[in-house]
Amino acid sequence: MHPYQVKIGTQVKLSEIDPNDQSLFPKLTKKNYFKALEKLNTQLESLQELLFAQGKHRVLVVLQAMDTAGKDGTIRSVFDGVNPLGVKVASFKKPTPDELAHDYLWRVHPYVPGNGELVIFNRSHYEDVLVVRVHNLVPPEKWSKRYEHINAFEEMLVDEGTTILKFFLHIDKDEQKARLEERLKEPSKQWKFAVGDLDERKRWDDYMQAYEAVLEKTSKKHAPWFIIPANRKWYRNLVISQILVDTLTSLNMEYPAPAPGLENIVVE
Amino acid sequence: MHPYQVKIGTQVKLSEIDPNDQSLFPKLTKKNYFKALEKLNTQLESLQELLFAQGKHRVLVVLQAMDTAGKDGTIRSVFDGVNPLGVKVASFKKPTPDELAHDYLWRVHPYVPGNGELVIFNRSHYEDVLVVRVHNLVPPEKWSKRYEHINAFEEMLVDEGTTILKFFLHIDKDEQKARLEERLKEPSKQWKFAVGDLDERKRWDDYMQAYEAVLEKTSKKHAPWFIIPANRKWYRNLVISQILVDTLTSLNMEYPAPAPGLENIVVE
């Protein structure tokens, strides 16, 4: 089992998990980082091409994190170079009235991967036990049932041929402060700053508690959660890339056999 | 509990259930039938208007049956007069390649009812443990897991505010023969005849077995199955209409309160 994978049935204490950990790539220099990431990017590119060509497996990557923890940055860095034909990002923001008029899985289900596809959920159905819980948007007797729904939903996806990987990007409150301040100062980053982010920051502890419940209740063998130390962006990128490459490799994919008689065809 | 509701955890033997039963409306004349249906239609119309106006509940009606058993006829007769604004029929036929490239709930989920809506599934996700099972379209280790997926899916819908009613229209093989022969003869019905129907008819016993498994494994308190004696069309229509009226009545719906100060508004 991967060292960052959440063991089923264990209690998770995020305050005891070091967001600066770099034990999997110790003593890496900046130059070596770029080399290592490039190598992983190339591997991921080939594996995704194979995934698409074979058209058999479906891969769902779920990204969850506090603001500024690097969901967008992860997508940009880790999936650099993959073929957009077979890779899709589905971003879930504040639900529309029409979405709120339906069950909370209604808006995510249409975006799950089909054969040969890799889909990244940038936020996900987990928001319905995170922001919804922290802000009391539905009563506890309602959201408390959702962990089991979500487990059943993901189990169904897996039984039907989907591989699911879920990443929680773990930063601490100080790191968020530094990143929010950078967004305030840097003109090219100001567009990412929303005043509402500060309100959410005030509820940091509530969010940590809600995340701990998610990580404890919904990390399954078939759909594991990984807690990724994410104070260091380079480390976050390498760890996630490596997990993706390893997981796709373990699918033992093959290019489909050529059509029979292909060896005799002459293109004139 | 309704006499036709499938008790949870009981064995279902369809061959022992009389498709000619008319115990709930004994000795009804044809004239009285039309009166009774009209009365139920009117009640259903009012209840559906209320459902829509209140915009709180969601109602899902699942119709499953062998060919000619009357799915289309039920929809036409029972829902005669309801407002199409709030009532939708979703018909599920042979899946497209794109649908087959995803999990089998992927194509039905977008059509589940939203607040205030009543949706009728004309065939449904149950086909994935019926036709799929009878024709071995996926291996048993795959379809056998689907009963639990379906229960979990429907439980999630119910937890989130949906009322689910599932009707199996029960005819016998002789009645199907008579109806297929009518389709062959009657010019206005010939369009409904498909040669493939005869192949399916040959597998009658396999289908009965597959239906029995569905009725046994997926009738739940939150999403009950009803086995409707359906050799007599009028009887089928009355029984289903009555169940719908009773169920919607039990929701104790109310028109939303008027906006405050409405009593002082003068329209000039």
Side-chain angles (χ1 to χ4, degrees):
Chain A
M1 211 177 86
H2 194 278
Y4 296 145
Q5 187 173 334
V6 179
K7 281 194 200 80
I8 301 158
T10 51
Q11 230 197 340
V12 176
K13 271 269 156 229
L14 286 170
S15 59
E16 290 166 12
I17 297 174
D18 183 7
N20 287 303
D21 182 51
Q22 56 185 87
S23 54
L24 297 186
F25 296 93
K27 298 182 200 164
L28 202 78
T29 62
K30 196 162 188 177
K31 193 181 149 196
N32 285 344
Y33 157 62
F34 283 114
K35 261 197 191 162
L37 185 63
E38 207 186 312
K39 193 180 157 203
L40 285 166
N41 276 164
T42 310
Q43 286 178 283
L44 188 60
E45 223 179 298
S46 308
L47 285 161
Q48 184 261 317
E49 199 68 35
L50 187 50
L51 177 80
F52 186 74
Q54 191 183 26
K56 179 182 165 189
H57 297 280
R58 311 162 186 174
V59 181
L60 176 60
V61 174
V62 174
L63 287 184
Q64 283 288 160
M66 295 297 285
D67 290 325
T68 75
K71 294 183 294 295
D72 296 359
T74 299
I75 296 171
R76 201 168 40 240
S77 302
V78 171
F79 296 96
D80 185 32
V82 296
N83 188 344
L85 201 62
V87 175
K88 292 169 186 174
V89 179
S91 296
F92 298 98
K93 314 207 172 195
K94 200 179 161 190
T96 64
D98 201 29
E99 288 169 349
L100 286 173
H102 292 83
D103 66 89
Y104 62 98
L105 295 174
W106 183 77
R107 69 170 182 156
V108 302
H109 205 161
Y111 294 97
V112 300
N115 288 340
E117 288 179 349
L118 189 156
V119 172
I120 304 143
F121 277 8
N122 185 10
R123 301 190 189 271
S124 67
H125 43 296
Y126 284 100
E127 291 297 332
D128 292 281
V129 283
L130 290 165
V131 61
V132 164
R133 172 176 165 162
V134 168
H135 287 271
N136 296 307
L137 300 181
V138 307
E141 57 270 25
K142 201 162 179 182
W143 58 250
S144 62
K145 288 179 180 166
R146 291 181 173 173
Y147 303 101
E148 276 316 305
H149 301 160
I150 291 173
N151 285 336
F153 174 61
E154 294 180 355
E155 196 175 331
M156 182 277 295
L157 293 176
V158 170
D159 286 344
E160 294 290 317
T162 308
T163 300
I164 303 181
L165 296 169
K166 302 180 289 196
F167 298 107
F168 170 63
L169 311 183
H170 180 42
I171 60 170
D172 58 27
K173 215 177 161 185
D174 289 343
E175 180 65 23
Q176 193 193 46
K177 184 166 190 277
R179 293 188 187 184
L180 283 171
E181 284 169 348
E182 202 188 340
R183 283 190 183 177
L184 281 169
K185 268 187 265 166
E186 185 74 48
S188 74
K189 291 189 176 179
Q190 284 168 345
W191 69 277
K192 290 204 101 179
F193 186 87
V195 179
D197 294 352
L198 297 181
D199 294 330
E200 297 302 287
R201 179 170 165 78
K202 283 184 194 139
R203 298 170 192 260
W204 184 274
D205 293 343
D206 293 342
Y207 270 107
M208 289 306 109
Q209 220 182 353
Y211 267 111
E212 285 168 352
V214 161
L215 296 164
E216 285 168 12
K217 290 173 198 281
T218 64
S219 192
K220 298 288 168 185
K221 195 173 163 247
H222 61 262
W225 273 108
F226 298 86
I227 300 173
I228 307 294
N231 270 7
R232 295 190 168 84
K233 295 173 185 175
W234 65 265
Y235 188 73
R236 171 200 79 197
N237 293 341
L238 286 185
V239 171
I240 293 178
S241 296
Q242 187 69 62
I243 293 171
L244 282 166
V245 165
D246 291 347
T247 303
L248 289 174
T249 303
S250 74
L251 295 178
N252 293 313
M253 298 180 285
E254 282 176 9
Y255 279 94
L262 209 66
E263 64 278 16
N264 302 322
I265 289 180
V266 179
V267 182
E268 282 171 356
Chain B
M1 208 178 87
H2 194 279
Y4 296 146
Q5 187 173 333
V6 178
K7 283 194 199 79
I8 300 157
T10 52
Q11 228 196 342
V12 175
K13 270 272 156 226
L14 287 170
S15 60
E16 290 166 13
I17 297 173
D18 183 8
N20 287 301
D21 182 52
Q22 55 185 88
S23 54
L24 296 186
F25 296 92
K27 297 184 201 164
L28 201 78
T29 63
K30 194 161 189 179
K31 193 183 150 196
N32 285 345
Y33 157 61
F34 283 115
K35 260 196 191 163
L37 185 63
E38 208 187 312
K39 193 180 157 200
L40 286 166
N41 275 164
T42 310
Q43 288 179 282
L44 189 60
E45 223 179 297
S46 307
L47 286 161
Q48 184 260 316
E49 199 67 38
L50 187 51
L51 178 80
F52 186 74
Q54 191 182 26
K56 178 181 166 191
H57 296 280
R58 310 162 185 173
V59 181
L60 176 61
V61 174
V62 174
L63 287 184
Q64 282 288 159
M66 296 296 286
D67 290 324
T68 76
K71 294 184 295 295
D72 295 0
T74 299
I75 295 170
R76 201 169 40 239
S77 302
V78 171
F79 296 95
D80 185 33
V82 296
N83 188 344
L85 201 61
V87 175
K88 292 171 185 172
V89 178
S91 296
F92 298 99
K93 312 205 174 196
K94 201 180 160 187
T96 64
D98 200 27
E99 289 169 348
L100 286 172
H102 292 83
D103 67 90
Y104 62 98
L105 295 175
W106 183 77
R107 68 170 182 155
V108 302
H109 205 161
Y111 294 97
V112 301
N115 289 339
E117 288 180 348
L118 189 156
V119 172
I120 303 144
F121 277 7
N122 185 10
R123 300 188 189 273
S124 66
H125 43 297
Y126 284 99
E127 291 297 332
D128 292 282
V129 284
L130 289 165
V131 61
V132 164
R133 170 174 166 164
V134 169
H135 286 272
N136 296 307
L137 300 181
V138 308
E141 57 272 23
K142 202 162 178 183
W143 58 251
S144 62
K145 288 179 180 167
R146 292 180 173 174
Y147 303 100
E148 276 317 303
H149 301 160
I150 291 174
N151 284 335
F153 174 61
E154 294 181 355
E155 196 175 330
M156 181 278 294
L157 293 176
V158 170
D159 287 344
E160 294 292 314
T162 308
T163 299
I164 302 181
L165 296 169
K166 303 180 288 195
F167 298 107
F168 170 63
L169 312 182
H170 179 42
I171 59 168
D172 58 26
K173 215 177 162 183
D174 289 344
E175 180 65 24
Q176 192 192 49
K177 184 167 190 275
R179 294 188 186 185
L180 284 171
E181 284 169 349
E182 202 189 338
R183 282 190 185 176
L184 281 169
K185 269 188 264 165
E186 186 74 49
S188 74
K189 292 190 174 176
Q190 284 167 346
W191 68 276
K192 289 204 99 178
F193 187 88
V195 180
D197 294 351
L198 298 180
D199 294 330
E200 297 302 287
R201 178 170 166 77
K202 283 183 195 141
R203 298 171 191 259
W204 184 275
D205 293 343
D206 293 343
Y207 271 107
M208 289 307 108
Q209 221 182 351
Y211 267 111
E212 285 167 353
V214 161
L215 296 163
E216 286 167 11
K217 290 173 198 281
T218 64
S219 192
K220 298 287 168 185
K221 194 171 165 249
H222 61 262
W225 272 109
F226 297 86
I227 301 173
I228 307 294
N231 270 7
R232 295 189 169 85
K233 295 173 184 175
W234 64 266
Y235 189 73
R236 171 199 79 197
N237 293 342
L238 287 186
V239 172
I240 294 178
S241 295
Q242 187 70 63
I243 293 171
L244 282 165
V245 165
D246 291 347
T247 303
L248 289 174
T249 303
S250 74
L251 295 178
N252 293 315
M253 297 181 286
E254 282 175 10
Y255 279 95
L262 208 66
E263 64 277 16
N264 302 322
I265 289 181
V266 179
V267 182
E268 285 172 353

